[in-house]
Amino acid sequence: MSVEIFDKVKKVLEDIESAVPKSQEEVEQFRIKYVGSKNVIKPLFGEIRHIPNELKKEFGQLVNTVKQSAETKFKTLKETIEAESENTEARQIDLTAPGEPVALGSRHPISTTMNRIIDIFTRIGFVVAEDREIEDDWHNFTAMNTPEDHPARDMQDTFYLMNSAEMLLRTHTSSVQARVMTSQKPPIRIIAPGRVYRNETVSARSHCQFHQVEGLYIDENVSFADMKQTLLYFAQEMYGPDTKIRLRPSYFPFTEPSAEMDVYWGLKDETDYRITKGTGWLEVLGCGMVDPAVLSNCGIDPDRYTGFAFGMGIERQAMLLYRISDIRLLFENDVRFLNQFKSTL
Ligand code: DAH
């Protein structure tokens, strides 16, 4: 009798081990049969009454094994079936559903403006020259005809590095002029875009960091007229074919003669009055014929070569082009501001 019961329990164990329920329903049937509240294993524990004492322990252990094996198997089956149903859900893609939009980035207005300026000059043979932002005093000032004690150093409040008198954050991209002239031979025709720094109080109109584009053209017989024609071309490409320019005498240590270029902006509304200070003219850049002292500082023979140079602030151009009223917006990277430039190239 007890042998039969043993066999019966072993048979249940075999059934459990060989069961291969595949669907969710089959797993549920397995659960009801072996793990549920009315499972077939429970009554087996009652059979212990009919087992001789010396076999009771062995029988008890066997039924326990069956119970555990059923529970373990059910747990595994349940996990597998759940994972599978997740997979099938993922595979059930509705091809007719509207797509999720991919958020597109946009170029920063400074980059757009910079690229536009670079494009205009590269079309007439200028090549881009880039150089370091941490510069030494010589390239930023001395080579550019602004030796120590020169009053023009006060025009640009400088960030020096760690109390160094020698290393600084460049105050203008004119330092690239010195870098190029000391490493290349004329003819030189470069455009140097980049970031510059000045120790200035941040306000709506000025910032301690901003961008400039520098231009330099050196060859034999380069004249002031060449410069004027080049800058007129630039202004008309930048602001429209009817743009008028004027050159006002000015002073820069590195150019002689020096000038500032204005473009005619107009006086149509109140904003025009405000940004042109009531004149209709807008200052756009500084320029001039490269001072012979700058040429010889950089190892270029001033008796043979002449050249012109110019420099302009990008933020100012971007603010004009996009009618941005506060320079700080250009550095805060607020996406609500930047999103407005999505359609620009
Ligand atoms: N470096 C000048 C500045 O930072 C701009 C400038 C003026 C550059 C005249 C030039 C130049 O090359 O010829 O304001």
Side-chain angles (χ1 to χ4, degrees), residues 144 156 171-174 177 198 212 214-215 252 254-255 259 285-288 308-312:
M144 300 311 292
Q156 304 176 358
T171 57
H172 52 184
T173 42
S174 303
Q177 282 193 34
R198 285 184 204 176
Q212 286 187 332
E214 187 83 9
F252 298 102
F254 24 88
T255 41
L285 54 80
C287 58
F308 65 79
F310 55 89
M312 68 185 105

